[in-house]
Amino acid sequence: MRFIAKIQDAEILEPLIPTVKQNLTYKHQYVKKYAALCIFHIHRNFGSHLLPDGPELMENLIVAPETDMAARRNAFLMLCNEAEDLAIEFLVNNMEEIGKFGDGFCLQVLELTRKVCRKDPSQKSRFIRCVFMMLQSNSAAVSYEAAWTLVS
């Protein structure tokens, strides 16, 4: 999966895409994590040409209850960069559960918050509750980033 993510030739990647999609449901966490990252890189490099359903695949991966933290973070990373509206929709619908998704996911949520609020300051009210919840995190890194996000 890590090697496939680095391939820059569409002709080589095209026959591998069904296998990458299949690995999103693989039982080992390591494979799922890199399959999500691989889909992100393919979608970023080739857009909707090779992987038109990339954002929907990542949205399904995030919502799945058996998804591990690293795969969920990688899927959210893809949504933040490729389908921001889906990422915001997921965040709004799952605001109370964000702390359960792990520190890496929380840091990605804070990055999305800063990005959206810089583009459109009127969106601040949507994210303020989430940022305040992250201030209470047990992780020093998440608390620090939440404070920095609140200040900025």
Side-chain angles (χ1 to χ4, degrees):
M1 287 292 124
R2 292 174 70 185
F3 174 71
I4 291 172
K6 295 179 189 318
I7 296 174
Q8 298 293 321
D9 188 11
E11 290 178 17
I12 295 172
L13 280 174
E14 195 167 8
L16 298 173
I17 291 190
T19 305
V20 173
K21 288 180 182 179
Q22 220 174 18
N23 283 333
L24 287 173
T25 58
Y26 200 78
K27 62 182 176 178
H28 292 295
Q29 297 174 359
Y30 184 82
V31 176
K32 273 190 207 178
K33 172 175 73 169
Y34 283 108
L37 202 57
C38 188
I39 287 179
F40 169 50
H41 286 290
I42 291 170
H43 197 272
R44 184 179 58 186
N45 293 333
F46 300 101
S48 297
H49 172 69
L50 285 181
L51 206 56
D53 60 341
E56 290 81 19
L57 288 170
M58 294 298 101
E59 184 178 30
N60 293 338
L61 181 66
I62 289 176
V63 175
E66 73 277 352
T67 303
D68 68 296
M69 290 184 206
R72 185 173 276 136
R73 187 197 71 78
N74 287 347
F76 192 71
L77 173 68
M78 190 237 177
L79 288 179
C80 289
N81 289 300
E82 300 294 318
E84 193 174 277
D85 53 334
L86 289 175
I88 293 171
E89 181 182 330
F90 173 79
L91 182 61
V92 169
N93 293 337
N94 297 289
M95 187 90 54
E96 299 298 324
E97 300 171 10
I98 296 299
K100 298 175 187 174
F101 295 157
D103 295 344
F105 191 88
C106 289
L107 293 172
Q108 191 61 45
V109 166
L110 290 168
E111 186 176 324
L112 173 69
T113 302
R114 287 190 297 268
K115 180 179 170 184
V116 169
C117 291
R118 276 189 204 116
K119 279 195 295 189
D120 185 11
S122 66
Q123 297 276 341
K124 289 178 185 179
S125 61
R126 288 178 91 179
F127 297 104
I128 197 75
R129 191 170 109 224
C130 183
V131 173
F132 276 123
M133 284 177 18
M134 288 188 208
L135 281 172
Q136 305 302 322
S137 175
N138 292 334
S139 168
V142 172
S143 296
Y144 173 78
E145 288 294 323
W148 185 71
T149 301
L150 197 58
V151 171
S152 65

